[in-house]
Amino acid sequence: MALSYKARRRWSLFLLLVGLPAYIAAAWFLVSLFDRPPVFVEVAIYVGLGVLWAIPFKSVFKGIGQADPDQND
């Protein structure tokens, strides 16, 4: 099921304003459950989790910065 351009814009805004901070808080909580690892390991964990967050939503964010393709000029 393909989302319309307007729906993708709304979902991307929701994901950036609500989903990303919630994901950051969850990642921070999970890392804080263990003893603090060395800095380079901690950075690698956060970078890895950041990439894992973006992969499922790639199709939602694709083309959002472009003009609406369905709009008639």
Side-chain angles (χ1 to χ4, degrees):
M1 185 167 105
L3 292 173
S4 69
Y5 177 77
K6 190 178 275 190
R8 285 188 298 130
R9 283 190 63 153
R10 289 179 180 150
W11 274 112
S12 64
L13 185 63
F14 175 80
L15 288 170
L16 287 175
L17 294 178
V18 176
L20 185 57
Y23 187 78
I24 290 170
W28 190 12
F29 175 74
L30 287 174
V31 171
S32 71
L33 290 176
F34 306 104
D35 289 335
R36 186 164 186 172
V39 173
F40 63 90
V41 173
E42 192 172 0
V43 169
I45 290 170
Y46 287 129
V47 169
L49 289 173
V51 170
L52 286 176
W53 177 86
I55 291 172
F57 302 118
K58 182 179 177 183
S59 63
V60 173
F61 292 113
K62 195 171 201 172
I64 292 300
Q66 306 295 324
D68 187 356
D70 299 330
Q71 184 181 26
N72 294 331
D73 288 332

